[in-house]
Amino acid sequence: MKIAVCIKRVPDSETRVKIASDGKSLDDSGVKFVMNPYDEFAVEEALRRKEKASSGEVAVICLGPAAAQETIRTALAMGADRGILLQSDRIPADPFEVARIIAAELKSTSWDLLLFGRMAIDDYNHQVGALTAELLGLPCVTAISHLEIEGTKGVAEREIEGGIEVVEFPLPAVLTADKGLNEPRYPALKGIMAAKKKPLEVKPVQASAGTFEVVALSPPPDRKEGKIVGEGVGAVGELVRLLREEAKVL
Amino acid sequence: MTLALAVLEQRDGVLRKISHEVVTGSQRLGRGVDAVLCAAGPVQGADQLGKFGADRVITLTNPAFAKYAPEACAQAIAERAKQGGYRAVLFAASATGKDLAPRVAAKLGVGVAADITDLAALGDAITVTRPVYAGKALLKVKVASQPAVLSLRPNVFTPVERPKAGTPETAAVTVAPCRVVVREVKAAAAGTLDVAEAQIIISGGRGLKEPANFKVLEELAQAFGGKAAVGASRAVVDAGWRAHADQVGQTGKTVSPSLYIAVGISGAIQHLAGMRTSKVIVAINKDKDAPIFKVADYGVVGDLFEIVPRLTEEIRKLHG
């Protein structure tokens, strides 16, 4: 089984967001970068599929700056076979441009499965997998939390409001991973050592800006100072009164 | 020319309520709204849409639309969007909208400005605001794509009724055979409301001590008479106490209910990011120094196992 996993380097979820002096981007000084958590599910799923088939290849593709080599090494340490960095200092604000760059790389190989995280926890675009699938003309199932593959047929489950959709699709296909799909492994020391010797190809790409122009990045409005209504059950009556009369939400 | 195409959602022949928000959000662009939905037949509630500002309500029919058919819907809506020459195509950023919007956008050769909380038309450009980093920052983006494809965060664009009737139209459409097929929808337990769409969310954290204790939160949710959902912090989801579908925070759902009640949640930064756009926040926690009290409008310090049942009683009285 030939599997491609597309990953992204993102600020860790505990990051306190500081705005850079241009007023349009994140000040990344002191920020810890990690593999996007949803992409970890995608990497893990790819490794399990390859292990089950007991043959094949897992390639990891990442659009990002030179420092994203580290993110790719993490995936290689988990067990992926090789990495490709589509190197660009700037990631376009327009997700269609991102998908275009990734699709251009993916189309040169015939993959059985192409995996993405369902979204990245920095830009919250949740669409690059589906856009890429359309550009490649491949079937796509997004935000899957369960997957079964038998030959060239797959069945996936995806969460919708108030239920679970059970979706059938043929391979090759693009799938985007949600939490719950699996429990990603931690790279073992042996894997970390092995990852240093695995092939990592760096390909510079020209990322055009596309049709989205960032006007400003700003902190969210402060919430007005709240109050402690009181302590213990005695405060419940007053809380309900405030919710009814002051906040008017009951 | 009509400016905006609002893409609506139905399930089992009934219009989903979130569709009203999409029509209302589309109305914000001015110059008229066409609403479109894919269905196998007549959709209950579609005739009400004029009230929320749709000039026309177009039902595209095909037997394939009995269940959500991502490929066929994308094809039908993209074709309609091209024919109509709309300036903007708007979706709900619901589970279905998040799946469908990029498929339609790609067919139109553009990206999606996703999960937006504000929008304005300025001359030729549409400017939108999107929470990024789970709401730790707001990104303002000028979208110059033709058309602009937008998805609207649930619970933000409050439906406004207008005294106006929309013209209903029905058009049978042909679609290519689907590769991706929804075989069935396994329904969640009756009365379960999704945290992303609930008006009231009661979330629990480690302070609940064990999974069975979420019963006290479920009882409070029930007291709100079907308007409330039970959410959870990452800690308790990672511990396997609650389903991931219930998780609020940066690696879960970002929510904007009218009332968010955080129970036994200390308030990690990734959790606060996911719920800080709630209209009113209540925190119940035994630790008076917990960070959750910094974002809460109203805090009660004390034992949740005493406070929550009393609150449930009070709410029952109101709704009783």
Side-chain angles (χ1 to χ4, degrees):
Chain A
M1 217 177 200
K2 240 175 138 49
I3 307 171
V5 189
C6 298
I7 65 169
K8 187 177 185 188
R9 170 184 183 262
V10 300
D12 182 81
S13 66
E14 295 299 320
T15 303
R16 290 182 186 277
V17 168
K18 270 196 304 187
I19 315 290
S21 55
D22 67 356
K24 295 179 180 183
S25 58
L26 175 75
D27 176 355
D28 63 6
S29 58
V31 170
K32 182 187 165 204
F33 283 88
V34 296
M35 189 195 307
N36 176 41
Y38 292 98
D39 302 345
E40 291 182 2
F41 303 117
V43 172
E44 177 62 35
E45 196 59 31
L47 296 175
R48 290 188 190 191
R49 294 290 144 194
K50 183 193 150 185
E51 284 158 8
K52 205 171 168 203
S54 52
S55 71
E57 182 194 38
V58 174
V60 173
I61 292 113
C62 179
L63 168 64
Q69 287 191 36
E70 198 187 319
T71 317
I72 294 176
R73 292 282 175 207
T74 305
L76 298 178
M78 287 172 76
D81 300 295
R82 65 184 173 99
I84 301 166
L85 174 64
L86 304 173
Q87 192 177 322
S88 169
D89 286 341
R90 207 187 46 186
I91 294 182
D94 184 345
F96 192 67
E97 291 305 318
V98 175
R100 243 207 299 239
I101 294 165
I102 292 172
E105 172 59 33
L106 291 171
K107 73 169 187 241
S108 57
T109 308
S110 70
W111 306 100
D112 298 301
L113 206 53
L114 302 95
L115 295 166
F116 291 73
R118 80 166 164 94
M119 63 167 215
I121 63 161
D122 54 355
D123 60 24
Y124 263 63
N125 275 324
H126 52 67
Q127 58 184 290
V128 174
L131 292 174
T132 306
E134 286 286 336
L135 290 172
L136 295 171
L138 290 172
C140 173
V141 187
T142 63
I144 65 166
S145 52
H146 185 78
L147 175 65
E148 280 166 44
I149 292 175
E150 205 65 68
T152 57
K153 279 192 148 111
V155 180
E157 292 185 0
R158 57 188 304 272
E159 183 215 321
I160 59 170
E161 295 84 6
I164 306 275
E165 261 176 13
V166 183
V167 187
E168 293 177 339
F169 61 93
L171 264 52
V174 174
L175 306 174
T176 76
D178 198 357
K179 192 171 180 174
L181 180 60
N182 52 45
E183 200 58 58
R185 67 195 68 185
Y186 287 103
L189 185 61
K190 204 175 144 204
I192 295 168
M193 297 311 286
K196 291 180 179 164
K197 297 197 187 96
K198 288 180 179 172
L200 198 172
E201 198 181 345
V202 177
K203 298 182 179 179
V205 293
Q206 288 301 322
S208 72
T211 54
F212 287 26
E213 185 200 330
V214 172
V215 178
L217 183 71
S218 54
D222 279 334
R223 293 191 69 91
K224 68 170 172 42
E225 189 86 12
K227 57 182 152 195
I228 300 287
V229 178
E231 292 197 14
V233 280
V236 172
E238 176 64 0
L239 172 67
V240 171
R241 189 193 69 79
L242 288 167
L243 290 175
R244 284 189 75 180
E245 293 172 16
E246 191 176 88
K248 298 185 166 50
V249 287
L250 292 183
Chain B
M1 190 189 79
T2 306
L3 190 72
L5 182 65
V7 181
L8 314 180
E9 290 180 26
Q10 57 94 13
R11 206 184 287 173
D12 302 325
V14 181
L15 190 77
R16 299 196 66 235
K17 246 173 62 188
I18 197 156
S19 301
H20 299 151
E21 298 179 17
V22 184
V23 175
T24 301
S26 304
Q27 190 70 29
R28 294 261 296 275
L29 294 171
R31 308 226 306 268
V33 178
D34 283 353
V36 66
L37 75 167
C38 295
V43 173
Q44 191 188 323
D47 54 340
Q48 295 295 307
L49 279 162
K51 279 208 300 204
F52 297 95
D55 301 296
R56 290 199 295 171
V57 182
I58 307 157
T59 307
L60 304 176
T61 61
N62 187 291
F65 298 150
K67 286 202 184 73
Y68 173 52
E71 295 174 323
C73 287
Q75 184 195 343
I77 288 164
E79 280 169 13
R80 176 56 61 155
K82 279 182 200 162
Q83 283 164 20
Y86 298 98
R87 177 66 192 89
V89 183
L90 298 94
F91 294 80
S94 58
T96 301
K98 281 177 183 163
D99 184 79
L100 185 58
R103 295 175 193 265
V104 173
K107 288 181 195 300
L108 300 172
V110 302
V112 184
D115 213 14
I116 66 171
T117 52
D118 199 7
L119 79 169
L122 285 171
D124 266 356
I126 290 173
T127 304
V128 303
T129 301
R130 320 178 37 236
V132 290
Y133 305 103
K136 290 180 211 165
L138 299 175
L139 187 69
K140 202 168 180 184
V141 182
K142 203 164 154 197
V143 182
S145 61
Q146 293 285 352
V149 177
L150 317 174
S151 68
L152 313 185
R153 171 168 296 191
N155 272 335
V156 173
F157 296 86
T158 311
V160 181
E161 290 201 24
R162 286 154 200 275
K164 186 175 163 190
T167 322
E169 283 177 30
T170 301
V173 292
T174 52
V175 290
C178 297
R179 298 167 298 182
V180 173
V181 176
V182 174
R183 190 173 64 191
E184 60 167 319
V185 176
K186 294 194 232 171
T192 314
L193 196 59
D194 193 86
V195 290
E197 290 188 350
Q199 285 173 47
I200 299 169
I201 298 172
I202 298 134
S203 276
R206 255 193 288 240
L208 270 291
K209 293 196 178 115
E210 55 178 288
N213 291 339
F214 269 77
K215 193 159 171 284
V216 298
L217 303 192
E218 278 155 13
E219 284 168 356
L220 175 55
Q222 279 159 16
F224 283 104
K227 280 196 299 185
V230 175
S233 71
R234 182 168 77 188
V236 301
V237 170
D238 285 350
W241 296 7
R242 303 295 287 181
H244 172 245
D246 302 338
Q247 185 184 326
V248 174
Q250 193 161 6
T251 53
K253 288 174 177 156
T254 39
V255 297
S256 308
S258 50
L259 175 60
Y260 188 92
I261 306 180
V263 182
I265 291 177
S266 62
I269 183 167
Q270 61 82 23
H271 184 83
L272 300 182
M275 44 68 91
R276 63 170 296 143
T277 53
S278 305
K279 285 166 198 99
V280 175
I281 297 171
V282 171
I284 299 169
N285 202 297
K286 69 177 189 319
D287 173 11
K288 67 173 176 26
D289 297 320
I292 191 77
F293 286 121
K294 294 211 170 64
V295 299
D297 299 287
Y298 304 109
V300 178
V301 181
D303 182 357
L304 71 92
F305 296 105
E306 291 173 10
I307 294 163
V308 177
R310 174 65 64 86
L311 182 57
T312 305
E313 272 173 45
E314 295 287 327
I315 300 298
R316 276 200 195 118
K317 275 189 230 160
L318 287 177
H319 288 256

